[in-house]
Amino acid sequence: MIGCAPSEVQFGRRPCPVCGGEGGRPVLATDEAHRIHFSISHSDWLVAIAVADRPVGIDVQVLRQNTYSLLNELSPVEQRQIGTSASRMNRCWARKEAVLKAAGIGIAHGLRAPHVGGADQPHQPPGFEISDLDVPRGFHGAVAVAARPTTKGQQHDGY
């Protein structure tokens, strides 16, 4: 599919769309057309991998009770939706990480945007489609893919 032997597959990173640094989304360096997008996540014993034909991010989180130190970093709407629920906090965190991975940004540039929500259904930020994952009890997971371009040549590489 990428025109090389498995032993020749090499990985690289795209530049960060915010700062231009080398910490952007991982890519197959041997896939010059960037036809294959992927994301990997793990938490405790659970591993998740997503592969798509457009930018994708996946995140899984084991349910933790001590994540409230990050609550003030989220959007005010997310803070209200989460309240005192550790489960909602972890669900929001998985959604946010998935979108930031798909955008190639990561958490270093802040957590207030994009708004992904802590409610039962994810908020769909512009340029991305988020779905919660069906994961084992005690975990939360989400996958985000860049929305399909609406005009020829349009790309979604950020939010």
Side-chain angles (χ1 to χ4, degrees):
M1 184 170 196
I2 59 174
C4 69
S7 62
E8 296 172 345
V9 173
Q10 296 180 14
F11 295 92
R13 286 200 175 266
R14 294 195 67 188
C16 171
V18 174
C19 67
E22 297 179 6
R25 196 173 55 248
V27 295
L28 291 174
T30 48
D31 179 22
E32 294 176 13
H34 301 293
R35 298 170 300 204
I36 301 171
H37 300 268
F38 65 94
S39 182
I40 301 169
S41 180
H42 67 88
S43 184
D44 199 34
W45 56 265
L46 184 63
V47 175
I49 300 170
V51 179
D53 64 351
R54 51 195 161 139
V56 62
I58 195 163
D59 192 62
V60 290
Q61 297 288 326
V62 66
L63 182 58
R64 298 192 196 293
Q65 300 297 323
N66 61 350
T67 56
Y68 286 103
S69 62
L70 299 171
L71 187 62
N72 290 334
E73 302 297 320
L74 303 177
S75 76
V77 172
E78 289 167 339
Q79 291 176 33
R80 285 191 299 277
Q81 290 174 337
I82 291 166
T84 60
S85 170
S87 181
R88 286 181 181 255
M89 178 64 193
N90 281 265
R91 179 173 47 210
C92 180
W93 184 259
R95 291 171 182 168
K96 191 151 309 237
E97 282 246 21
V99 173
L100 292 173
K101 285 179 175 184
I105 295 172
I107 63 173
H109 297 287
L111 298 172
R112 289 203 185 266
H115 169 64
V116 297
D120 290 341
Q121 295 298 316
H123 173 78
Q124 303 297 325
F128 292 95
E129 300 167 3
I130 304 172
S131 297
D132 291 330
L133 297 175
D134 185 14
V135 293
R137 185 176 178 90
F139 289 87
H140 285 288
V143 63
V145 293
R148 294 256 181 230
T150 55
T151 59
K152 190 173 183 174
Q154 180 182 356
Q155 293 183 349
H156 297 286
D157 214 19
Y159 55 90

